[in-house]
């Protein structure tokens, strides 16, 4: 047993969080670390082998991020979808967006610019469109603020966690969040290089290398570069990514990991095409911005330091510090209104300079306690952080004195570039502290219950430098969740859960006051059935509601108020099955009814934008061995997306349903070489992915082919 002074010291460190008001208390983390050192002096621990986190631990039958403990998926009272590295490779996924179609209840959302950040909805609810979706990393909360789209060279697999996760990870969307399982340094030398080319003149190179420096230290380096043209006129992008990583086995009980990701994404800020009288009349290739605006640039620098320490066979301690700074800078010219002649498009021109800086410190104590009547899996965690977000924007709309138009059928570029005036100049700071308690109680091999709650203390300060107004508020939020699981047999289980969530609202009302945060509630009932060791069927029914949603202020339409309410309910079905050693299939279906319950501008029952009521996918992959180590495989997938509202106000403008067919094939002459061909949108269907309004609609890619080669050495 660990000496009791260790426990006393740990509790003392936790108590210091309650004194946090206006400044950070780094002593909290130091007290934790010092406790570990003190405890090691007072007691002798059993030898416990610590190794680098293995990707094999993350598969369709295991779940870690949902509870912080590694469990068979049948023992977890929550729904989750998993996409492994092989699936990502087969589908030629270059962005997280490419993988969303294979997950029920998750759908791509408009990022208001064409690929500058990741944005998608869970179960009908979307995150902040100007910041993108909330993402956790290796089961740990990560920094908020501006984020460049994640690069796949560093991603081992993806966990889509359904339902509110605020009890573990703090503020975020009620519908769920994404957990990225990143690649790690290994203690054997491995190198890999990937080359790919697309018929749209999209070229990508990536390389990664991992090796040990000695028996205690291993490193990994990854680099990626893209130079991408587009099927759309005058639209292109370029991307650089670099990631150094380091793992240090300090002892058999302790490991220190360092992760970093440096990303620069540059490209055309593209609002897509505009409709006329709710009809699509434009050529999907037509660009209505200005090529002379140059590139929008997003820089994203992320650093994380993690310490894992095994206290004994039953207990472990983790601490992590993360820092991220990011910026988004550049000009754009965007559609605003089509004139009565049906072809002259009025535009607005903007300059954006957005900056964010985020610091996060987390600590976790995990362990098990066995009684004669039950086994407890306990989690105690704390979090300290600070987010700074600055928005500076210049803007000028078309007017008599500042002409800015373009012909949507015969565009002529570079005619006029109006001078811009200051439109937005705000600064926001959020300081937060949290403590979380969780207990999953296993009464026997069949019954278990999970009870958890997270307490968040947040200070929010918002300054509007144009109106010279500022306001601050202190918030306290409890985010409880309860889950019950009944394991019917080794093959089947049923579960139910209930949870709360909250998300911060940014800005000020007409009185110059900051907004109350959104509040969400979720109910879920589901079941899982294991066909074999590599096959799983899951189904879930859910109902969610959010309050304090921003809507137009009835007293002044220039401002907003937290009077809105929205709801979402539906059903999800997922099948992952390995029929034989060579043949796998996967199928998903979701029915999502996401609508307005209360709003100043919209009637009750109005649909939330970009949420298809019906969404389904079917994929199959067959692989076989040839001679020796030679292998080959072929696969296909069909994706169906139903009709959905194409306007944020649900004014009757709809994006039509579509069905896409994609094919893939690969040949591997040895374990070190792999060649692959992907055909996307085989039947060249014309479709539209997402939109914000009739004027900002993102068309989908027509038929295209890509070839890639992978070399391992």
């Amino acid at each position: 047993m660990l000496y009791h002074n260790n426990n006393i010291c740990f509790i003392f460190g936790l108590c210091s969080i309650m004194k946090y008001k206006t400044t950070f208390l780094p002593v909290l983390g130091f007290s934790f670390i010092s406790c570990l050192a003190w405890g090691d002096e007072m007691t002798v621990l059993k030898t416990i082998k610590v190794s680098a986190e293995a990707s094999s631990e993350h598969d369709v039958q295991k779940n870690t991020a949902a509870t912080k403990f590694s469990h068979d998926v049948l023992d977890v009272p929550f729904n989750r979808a998993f996409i492994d590295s092989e699936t990502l490779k087969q589908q030629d996924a270059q962005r997280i967006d490419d993988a969303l179609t294979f997950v029920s209840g998750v759908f791509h959302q408009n990022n208001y610019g064409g690929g500058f950040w990741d944005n998608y909805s869970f179960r009908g609810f979307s995150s902040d469109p100007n910041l993108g979706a909330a993402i956790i990393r290796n089961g740990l909360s990560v920094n908020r603020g501006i984020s460049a789209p994640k690069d796949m060279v560093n991603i081992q697999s993806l966990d889509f966690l359904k339902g509110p996760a605020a009890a573990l990870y703090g503020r975020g969307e009620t519908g769920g969040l994404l957990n990225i399982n990143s690649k790690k340094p290994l203690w054997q030398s491995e190198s890999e290089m990937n080359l790919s080319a697309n018929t749209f003149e999209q070229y990508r190179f990536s390389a990664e290398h991992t090796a040990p420096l000695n028996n205690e230290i291993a490193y990994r380096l990854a680099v990626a570069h893209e130079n991408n043209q587009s099927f759309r006129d005058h639209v292109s992008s370029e991307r650089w990514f670099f990631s150094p990583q380091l793992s240090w086995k300090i002892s058999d009980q302790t490991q220190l990991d360092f992760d970093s990701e440096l990303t620069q994404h540059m490209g055309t800020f593209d609002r897509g095409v505009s409709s006329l009288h709710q009809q699509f009349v434009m050529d999907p290739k037509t660009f209505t911005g200005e090529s002379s605006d140059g590139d929008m640039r997003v820089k994203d620098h992320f650093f994380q330091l993690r310490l894992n320490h095994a206290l004994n066979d039953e207990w472990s301690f983790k601490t992590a510090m993360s820092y991220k700074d990011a910026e988004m800078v550049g000009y754009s010219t965007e559609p605003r209104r089509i004139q009565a002649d049906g072809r002259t498009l009025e535009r607005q021109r903007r300059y954006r300079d957005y900056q964010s800086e985020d610091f996060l410190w987390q600590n976790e104590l995990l362990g098990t306690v066995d009684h004669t009547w039950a086994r407890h899996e306990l989690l105690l965690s704390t979090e300290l952080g600070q987010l700074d977000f600055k928005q500076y924007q210049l803007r000028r709309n078309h007017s008599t004195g500042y002409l800015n138009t373009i012909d949507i059928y015969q565009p002529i570029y570079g005619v006029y570039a109006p001078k811009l005036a200051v439109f937005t100049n705000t600064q926001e700071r959020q300081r937060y502290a949290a403590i979380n308690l969780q207990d999953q109680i296993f009464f026997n091999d069949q019954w278990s219950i999970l009870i958890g709650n997270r307490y968040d203390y947040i200070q929010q300060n918002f300054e509007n430098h144009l109106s010279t107004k500022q306001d601050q508020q202190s918030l306290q939020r409890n985010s409880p969740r309860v889950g019950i699981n009944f394991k019917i047999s080794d093959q089947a289980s049923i579960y139910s859960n209930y949870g709360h969530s909250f998300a911060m609202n940014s800005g000020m009302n007409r009185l110059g006051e900051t907004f109350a945060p959104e509040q969400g509630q979720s109910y879920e009932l589901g079941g899982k059935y294991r066909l074999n060791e590599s096959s799983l069927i899951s189904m879930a029914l859910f109902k969610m509601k959010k309050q304090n949603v921003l809507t137009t202020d009835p007293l002044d339409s220039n401002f907003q108020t937290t009077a809105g309410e929205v709801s979402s309910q539906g059903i999800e079905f997922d099948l992952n099955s390995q029929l034989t050693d060579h043949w796998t299939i996967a199928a998903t279906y979701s029915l999502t009814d996401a609508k307005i319950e209360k709003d100043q501008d919209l009637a009750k029952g109005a649909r939330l934008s970009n949420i298809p009521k019906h969404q389904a996918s079917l994929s199959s992959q067959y692989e076989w061995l040839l001679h020796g180590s030679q292998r080959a495989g072929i696969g296909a997938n069909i994706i169906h997306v139903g009709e959905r509202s194409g306007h944020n106000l649900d004014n009757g403008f709809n994006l039509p349903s579509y069905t896409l067919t994609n094919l893939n094939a690969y040949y591997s002459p040895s374990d070190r070489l792999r060649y692959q061909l992907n055909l996307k949108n085989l039947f060249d269907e014309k479709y539209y992915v997402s939109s914000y309004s009739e004027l900002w609609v993102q068309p989908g890619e027509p038929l295209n082919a890509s070839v890639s080669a992978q070399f391992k050495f």
Side-chain angles (χ1 to χ4, degrees), residues 51-52 184-189 209-221 244-250 255-259:
S51 59
K184 310 293 193 302
L186 302 176
W187 267 265
Q188 65 268 3
S189 181
H209 174 70
T210 182
L213 293 175
N214 50 44
N215 292 333
E216 290 78 34
I217 300 176
Y219 70 92
R220 180 178 179 271
L221 297 174
Q245 297 171 277
L246 196 68
S247 293
W248 177 21
K249 295 180 183 178
I250 301 175
Q255 180 166 312
L256 183 67
D257 295 285
F258 170 75
D259 284 357

Side-chain angles (χ1 to χ4, degrees), residues 565 567 593-598 602-608 650:
E565 295 183 10
S567 68
D593 182 18
K595 59 188 178 182
I596 297 291
E597 296 292 340
K598 184 180 178 182
L602 298 172
K604 182 177 181 177
R607 300 166 300 169
L608 301 187
D650 192 18

Side-chain angles (χ1 to χ4, degrees), residues 350-632:
R350 304 197 207 194
Y351 170 79
R352 294 173 176 84
D353 185 353
Y354 296 170
Q355 299 178 32
S356 69
E357 186 177 23
D358 197 3
F359 171 81
L360 184 64
W361 192 328
Q362 306 166 84
N363 300 275
E364 295 181 351
L365 180 68
L366 305 96
T368 60
V369 176
D370 289 315
H371 293 290
T372 56
W373 57 277
R375 176 169 60 89
H376 298 262
E377 291 185 346
L378 300 170
L379 166 68
L380 176 61
S381 66
T382 63
E383 189 173 298
L384 289 173
Q386 177 172 298
L387 168 66
D388 289 289
F389 186 34
K390 299 178 182 178
Q391 295 188 71
Y392 180 73
Q393 184 181 144
L394 308 177
R395 176 173 165 179
R396 180 82 68 181
N397 298 332
H398 166 82
S399 65
T400 304
Y402 297 94
L403 302 178
N404 190 356
T405 62
I406 196 168
D407 191 319
I408 63 174
Y409 300 111
Q410 296 179 325
I412 300 175
Y413 304 99
V415 176
Y416 184 66
K419 295 182 179 180
L420 304 181
V422 179
F423 182 75
T424 302
N425 189 2
T426 63
Q427 182 173 351
E428 182 177 7
R429 169 169 289 180
Q430 297 177 15
R431 290 177 170 176
Y432 45 94
I435 183 170
N436 172 52
L437 297 171
Q438 178 182 283
D439 185 8
Q440 187 170 6
I441 308 169
F442 292 85
F443 299 100
N444 50 45
D445 292 338
Q446 291 183 301
W447 286 98
S448 67
I449 182 171
L450 182 143
I451 304 172
N453 183 66
R454 172 171 163 138
Y455 168 82
D456 282 87
Y457 176 82
I458 302 173
Q459 284 190 338
Q460 182 185 30
N461 184 284
F462 191 90
E463 298 181 38
N464 188 328
H465 298 296
L466 290 182
S467 64
T468 66
K469 291 183 178 180
Q470 70 175 51
D471 189 49
Q472 64 178 21
Q473 63 175 335
S474 297
L475 303 169
Q476 301 180 59
R477 287 294 181 273
N478 284 294
S479 303
R481 70 169 180 173
V482 178
I484 301 175
N485 196 77
F486 177 65
K487 196 170 182 179
I488 302 171
S489 66
D490 291 339
Q491 288 76 42
S493 68
I494 57 175
Y495 69 91
S496 180
N497 64 65
Y498 169 79
H500 280 212
S501 69
F502 75 99
M504 301 300 294
N505 281 316
S506 183
M508 297 177 26
N509 61 22
R510 60 182 172 85
L511 300 177
E513 302 169 335
T514 52
F515 297 113
E518 291 183 352
Q519 298 185 103
Q521 297 179 332
S522 173
Y523 304 84
E524 183 177 343
L525 177 67
K528 305 164 190 174
Y529 182 76
R530 194 199 323 269
L531 298 171
N532 53 50
E533 292 184 356
S534 304
S535 303
L536 184 71
I537 297 176
S538 63
M539 182 177 290
L541 300 170
F542 64 88
K543 183 178 178 62
M544 303 183 301
K545 187 175 183 179
K546 284 202 306 183
Q547 299 172 314
N548 292 348
V549 178
L550 293 180
T551 183
T552 303
D553 191 326
L555 300 180
D556 189 340
S557 60
N558 294 314
F559 294 91
Q560 293 180 301
T561 182
T562 54
E565 295 183 10
V566 296
S567 68
S568 179
Q569 57 187 354
I571 183 171
E572 296 170 346
F573 171 85
D574 291 87
L575 165 66
N576 290 277
S577 178
Q578 184 158 345
L579 300 178
T580 70
D581 291 340
H582 306 283
W583 187 19
T584 61
I585 64 169
T588 69
Y589 170 76
S590 61
L591 185 155
T592 307
D593 182 18
K595 59 188 178 182
I596 297 291
E597 296 292 340
K598 184 180 178 182
D599 193 274
Q600 176 62 26
D601 301 310
L602 298 172
K604 182 177 181 177
R607 300 166 300 169
L608 301 187
S609 64
N610 285 306
I611 305 298
K613 190 170 185 177
H614 300 280
Q615 183 183 359
S617 70
L618 176 64
S619 59
S620 179
Q621 193 78 20
Y622 189 84
E623 301 175 276
W624 61 89
L625 297 176
L626 301 176
H627 303 286
S629 60
Q630 297 182 53
R631 295 176 295 130

Side-chain angles (χ1 to χ4, degrees), residues 137-151:
R137 181 185 176 95
N138 300 314
L140 290 169
S141 300
V142 296
N143 303 77
R144 281 88 172 176
I146 299 167
S147 297
K150 306 301 179 187
D151 199 283

